[in-house]
């Protein structure tokens, strides 16, 4: 039976880009929009042996919006923000070809799409 070997993950460089703009900026309220993209290559080496570290490159897309109430004095001396963000992570297909035909898992492919989001209320004191 084959013995597992050290995974020898490789170092990676992650590229990230982001931007934010104010769509509206009034005396009482502001509306901000932001977006971003990141590319993260997989650090996992080819999986020919006994191990099965399933991983893929990742493309991350995000969009966010902030609504800011500026003038709530004397109730709140600082602005009140409501933030909404969504993120989509696309994992393109990766194929693993095992060299041992008796491998209990065998060759396989992996891919996917992951969605997430958040809502935040922010008050500064």
């Amino acid at each position: 039976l084959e013995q597992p070997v050290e995974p020898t993950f490789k170092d990676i460089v992650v590229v990230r880009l982001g931007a934010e703009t104010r769509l509206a900026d009034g005396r009482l309220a502001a509306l901000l929009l932001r977006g971003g993209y990141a590319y993260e290559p997989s650090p996992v080496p080819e999986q020919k042996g006994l191990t099965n570290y399933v991983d893929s490159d990742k493309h991350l897309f995000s969009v966010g919006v902030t609504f800011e109430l500026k003038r709530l004095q004397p109730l709140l001396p600082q602005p009140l923000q409501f933030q909404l963000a969504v993120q989509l992570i696309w994992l393109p297909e990766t194929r693993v070809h095992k060299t041992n035909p008796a491998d209990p898992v065998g060759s396989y492919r992996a891919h996917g799409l992951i969605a997430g989001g958040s809502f935040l209320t922010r008050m500064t004191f």
Side-chain angles (χ1 to χ4, degrees):
L1 188 64
E2 283 185 66
Q3 293 298 315
V5 295
E6 246 342 276
T8 63
F9 293 136
K10 56 188 177 230
D11 292 335
I12 62 171
V13 174
V14 178
V15 176
R16 298 178 189 272
L17 301 169
E20 179 179 82
T21 187
R22 287 186 177 268
L23 295 177
D25 195 4
R27 202 177 108 243
L28 300 176
L31 186 64
L32 293 84
L33 178 68
R34 65 189 150 279
Y37 169 79
Y39 172 72
E40 185 177 317
S42 173
V44 177
E46 197 172 359
Q47 299 291 297
K48 291 184 176 183
L50 186 61
T51 58
N52 286 296
Y53 298 108
V54 182
D55 195 28
S56 174
D57 294 344
K58 294 163 200 69
H59 296 271
L60 299 91
F61 304 90
S62 62
V63 175
V65 64
T66 298
F67 177 68
E68 181 178 82
L69 293 172
K70 295 182 177 182
R71 302 234 179 205
L72 296 173
Q73 297 168 341
L75 183 61
L76 293 174
Q78 299 293 327
L80 175 65
Q81 291 184 341
F82 300 97
Q83 299 179 358
L84 177 66
V86 293
Q87 183 180 57
L88 187 65
I89 304 171
W90 172 51
L91 301 111
E93 184 175 293
T94 183
R95 293 178 182 263
V96 175
H97 300 284
K98 295 295 187 163
T99 54
N100 182 351
D103 186 290
V105 173
S107 298
Y108 56 89
R109 63 189 181 98
H111 58 94
L113 198 58
I114 302 168
S118 67
F119 178 75
L120 170 76
T121 302
R122 179 178 170 181
M123 296 187 318
T124 306
F125 296 96

